[in-house]
Amino acid sequence: MLAGKGFGKVINMAGGIKGWNSETAVGPEDLGLSLFTGHESLEEVLVIAYSLEKGLFDFYISMTEIITDTKVRQLFNQLSTIEIKHQERVLAEYNDLKKNHITREEFEQQPAATMMEGGLTTEEYLALYKPDLDSIRDVVSLAMGIEGQALDLYSRAADRASNKEVKNSLLKIADEERAHLRQLGALLD
Amino acid sequence: MRWKQFFTPVQSMDGLETRKFLEQLSGDDYNLIDVRQPGEYKDGHLPGAKLIPLGDLADRARELDPDKPTVVY
């Protein structure tokens, strides 16, 4: 059908979703999109993205406080460090945009979203993936699930963004999540 | 008669090949379309996939860029 409508390269994924065998995102099309109506300014989008990254950082840190296994705790620390880098990247873009220099502390004074990356809460992620928190493999899988969900949310938000600049920024963040997923996948392999 | 559909082969890739193909590209460089029903999409979909149920595809194809590679499942 698409080939007949002028699409030059059409690829059918054989086996469909069952053949994918990799991370998936869950939820309806509008999951988490109460945060991204499509009419936010770039500045507003960056504040939301930062708060989502911060939510995940806080989650990983809270895990380091309850995990007893040293290696798993180190892994959560490593994951939280990656989230700090994401936050710094978003903050740098915000400062470039505002031609300003505000610190992390000042930035975090702004109203924040209560969800984590990907549009679900901590409890929802734990209920969804039911990880064995003593297993490195389970923790990496949990992190991949969250990153996949985040990639999905940013992609859907980009799709509905009415402003080109906002769309590009959301796509850039989605690409960063994709890169993060690759890093986590390498850990599993 | 739209002859082009007879000369544009639809390529097939398994899940692993699809993953490797998508990993080479930025998210803005391809269309990734889930043509199943909303309930199936809700239960699990490829991150970043756009839901266009097969029955709506003919009407909604204009939402997609035909110049980009389009992965469908």
Side-chain angles (χ1 to χ4, degrees):
Chain A
M1 181 191 299
L2 291 174
K5 286 184 175 293
F7 285 71
K9 186 177 177 73
V10 181
I11 297 156
N12 172 54
M13 188 170 79
I17 192 80
K18 286 180 185 163
W20 175 240
N21 275 333
S22 196
E23 72 291 335
T24 55
V26 296
E29 269 185 295
D30 59 355
L31 178 70
L33 288 184
S34 55
L35 296 171
F36 298 102
T37 64
H39 301 294
E40 289 80 13
S41 65
L42 179 55
E43 178 185 339
E44 289 167 328
V45 160
L46 292 172
V47 170
I48 297 166
Y50 184 96
S51 68
L52 292 173
E53 306 283 350
K54 173 80 166 49
L56 185 53
F57 168 79
D58 290 344
F59 169 65
Y60 287 147
I61 289 296
S62 72
M63 287 291 115
T64 65
E65 289 162 3
I66 61 170
I67 298 292
T68 50
D69 185 284
T70 309
K71 282 187 177 168
V72 176
R73 204 167 54 232
Q74 281 173 349
L75 176 59
F76 272 119
N77 265 320
Q78 194 183 340
L79 292 169
S80 69
T81 305
I82 294 172
E83 292 312 314
I84 288 182
K85 286 181 182 161
H86 280 189
Q87 288 173 48
E88 284 172 349
R89 218 282 300 152
V90 172
L91 178 57
E93 187 173 346
Y94 182 88
N95 276 329
D96 279 351
L97 177 72
K98 302 285 282 181
K99 304 200 181 342
N100 201 346
H101 183 78
I102 66 169
T103 63
R104 284 170 61 92
E105 290 72 24
E106 288 166 330
F107 194 72
E108 288 173 13
Q109 295 304 313
Q110 310 198 47
T114 54
M115 292 178 211
M116 256 168 38
E117 240 187 346
L120 296 175
T121 64
T122 308
E123 292 74 21
E124 285 168 333
Y125 276 121
L126 289 174
L128 182 63
Y129 295 105
K130 299 183 180 62
D132 171 359
L133 292 174
D134 289 327
S135 156
I136 286 192
R137 195 167 189 87
D138 270 27
V139 168
V140 173
S141 294
L142 168 70
M144 287 184 77
I146 296 172
E147 296 299 337
Q149 201 70 31
L151 163 59
D152 190 60
L153 174 60
Y154 289 126
S155 302
R156 285 181 287 118
D159 197 43
R160 68 155 54 177
S162 52
N163 175 301
K164 184 76 181 164
E165 198 179 25
V166 169
K167 188 184 189 76
N168 288 341
S169 180
L170 285 164
L171 285 170
K172 186 174 174 187
I173 297 173
D175 276 344
E176 287 165 3
E177 302 299 344
R178 191 176 284 107
H180 194 183
L181 259 176
R182 276 199 294 273
Q183 290 171 1
L184 290 168
L187 269 181
L188 269 187
D189 293 341
Chain B
M1 176 69 76
R2 289 178 174 158
W3 289 101
K4 190 174 180 186
Q5 62 187 306
F6 300 115
F7 300 109
T8 307
V10 175
Q11 195 177 345
S12 183
M13 289 184 184
D14 65 23
L16 186 59
E17 289 168 329
T18 304
R19 181 176 163 174
K20 285 182 177 169
F21 175 74
L22 296 178
E23 279 180 357
Q24 296 167 7
L25 302 170
S26 162
D28 199 27
D29 293 338
Y30 57 81
N31 302 308
L32 175 59
I33 311 302
D34 187 331
V35 294
R36 300 171 302 155
Q37 291 304 301
E40 296 172 295
Y41 171 94
K42 183 181 171 186
D43 288 344
H45 53 269
L46 270 62
K50 184 180 179 74
L51 174 66
I52 306 183
L54 195 55
D56 299 338
L57 193 54
D59 290 338
R60 294 182 55 192
R62 69 177 72 90
E63 295 173 22
L64 310 170
D65 183 345
D67 295 329
K68 294 177 183 176
T70 302
V71 176
V72 180
Y73 69 95

